[in-house]
Amino acid sequence: MKQILFVCTGNTCRSPLAEGILRHMAREENLEVQIRSAGVFASDGSPISRQSSSVLREKGCEASISSSLLRSADVDWAELILTMTQDHKRAVIQRFPQAADKTHTLKEFVEDDSGVTAAAAEWEKLIAELQVKQALSQEITLEERTRLKHLEKKFPDYDISDPYGGSLELYRHTAEEIEEALVKLVQKIKDSR
């Protein structure tokens, strides 16, 4: 069984949408997954936004989700942590460095363009090398900085748009963006069985 944790800021908009939609998709596909969501700055027990709840109901999904602050127990429970933005990913890894290997943005995790994934792997390797150089007080060369910037330009935007405070239509757009990534996630889960 796969245990997936979605993370956003307040756990009232994007991560509850991902949780509700994936639960619905998993039921339809008979996937054995457990799904939770949390927020890096959430208030426990607050209701999700009215618009998120409406969108989930429109899609035939469970909408009785309440917000939860991200805790170490959630991180320990999760086999896979999927964040809505790069900033959320950084926040999770800064607070829970032991979770670095299992924490990704949702869009990053389902990326299926081999050119992008190769560039990302090279970028991560180069970043690690440069951090070691920096720790050893060694100079980072212009060539290394240029290569890093070149690789970064190959990355698409892995952030899911934030509908907070927006119209129902904006929430629908965000839900479509999430659902598009979740279709790929479901396929990855099915392929790994």
Side-chain angles (χ1 to χ4, degrees):
M1 173 160 322
K2 196 86 150 149
Q3 293 166 273
I4 300 170
L5 176 66
F6 291 106
V7 176
C8 70
T9 306
N11 193 218
T12 60
C13 300
R14 290 170 286 184
S15 57
L17 284 171
E19 177 184 355
I21 293 169
L22 183 58
R23 278 192 181 159
H24 183 72
M25 294 169 86
R27 266 192 304 276
E28 288 183 340
E29 296 286 337
N30 289 322
L31 295 177
E32 290 189 35
V33 294
Q34 292 180 351
I35 305 151
R36 295 181 187 171
S37 65
V40 292
F41 297 114
S43 293
D44 285 329
S46 295
I48 64 172
S49 74
R50 190 178 73 250
Q51 296 91 328
S52 288
S53 184
S54 294
V55 169
L56 287 172
R57 282 194 305 276
E58 286 174 4
K59 292 183 168 296
C61 304
E62 176 189 338
S64 60
I65 300 168
S66 59
S67 67
S68 176
L69 178 65
L70 179 65
R71 292 185 170 76
S72 60
D74 300 311
V75 171
D76 294 342
W77 169 85
E79 292 177 38
L80 178 62
I81 300 170
L82 298 173
T83 67
M84 298 295 111
T85 68
Q86 294 283 359
D87 285 342
H88 297 136
K89 177 182 172 180
R90 277 189 286 279
V92 171
I93 293 171
Q94 283 174 346
R95 286 178 55 197
F96 308 100
Q98 74 278 14
D101 290 343
K102 63 181 178 179
T103 305
H104 315 270
T105 69
L106 172 58
K107 286 184 175 180
E108 168 188 45
F109 186 74
V110 300
E111 178 64 65
D112 54 5
D113 181 326
S114 60
V116 171
T117 54
E122 184 181 346
W123 180 84
E124 286 180 14
K125 182 179 179 217
L126 183 56
I127 283 287
E129 291 170 2
L130 297 180
Q131 287 173 338
V132 168
K133 282 182 84 169
Q134 198 170 28
L136 296 172
S137 299
Q138 296 175 351
E139 187 177 332
I140 297 171
T141 67
L142 177 59
E143 181 181 299
E144 289 167 328
R145 290 178 197 275
T146 303
R147 182 66 186 149
L148 198 60
K149 288 186 190 300
H150 174 74
L151 290 169
E152 287 171 350
K153 288 179 183 175
K154 292 184 176 187
F155 298 155
D157 181 6
Y158 285 134
D159 289 354
I160 303 266
S161 61
D162 187 359
Y164 181 75
S167 66
L168 182 58
E169 191 56 41
L170 184 57
Y171 277 77
R172 286 180 182 130
H173 172 75
T174 297
E176 288 170 16
E177 189 179 358
I178 290 168
E179 192 167 9
E180 186 177 306
L182 293 178
V183 167
K184 293 179 181 181
L185 177 61
V186 165
Q187 190 58 52
K188 276 186 96 156
I189 294 169
K190 287 165 66 175
D191 291 346
S192 70
R193 289 198 274 184

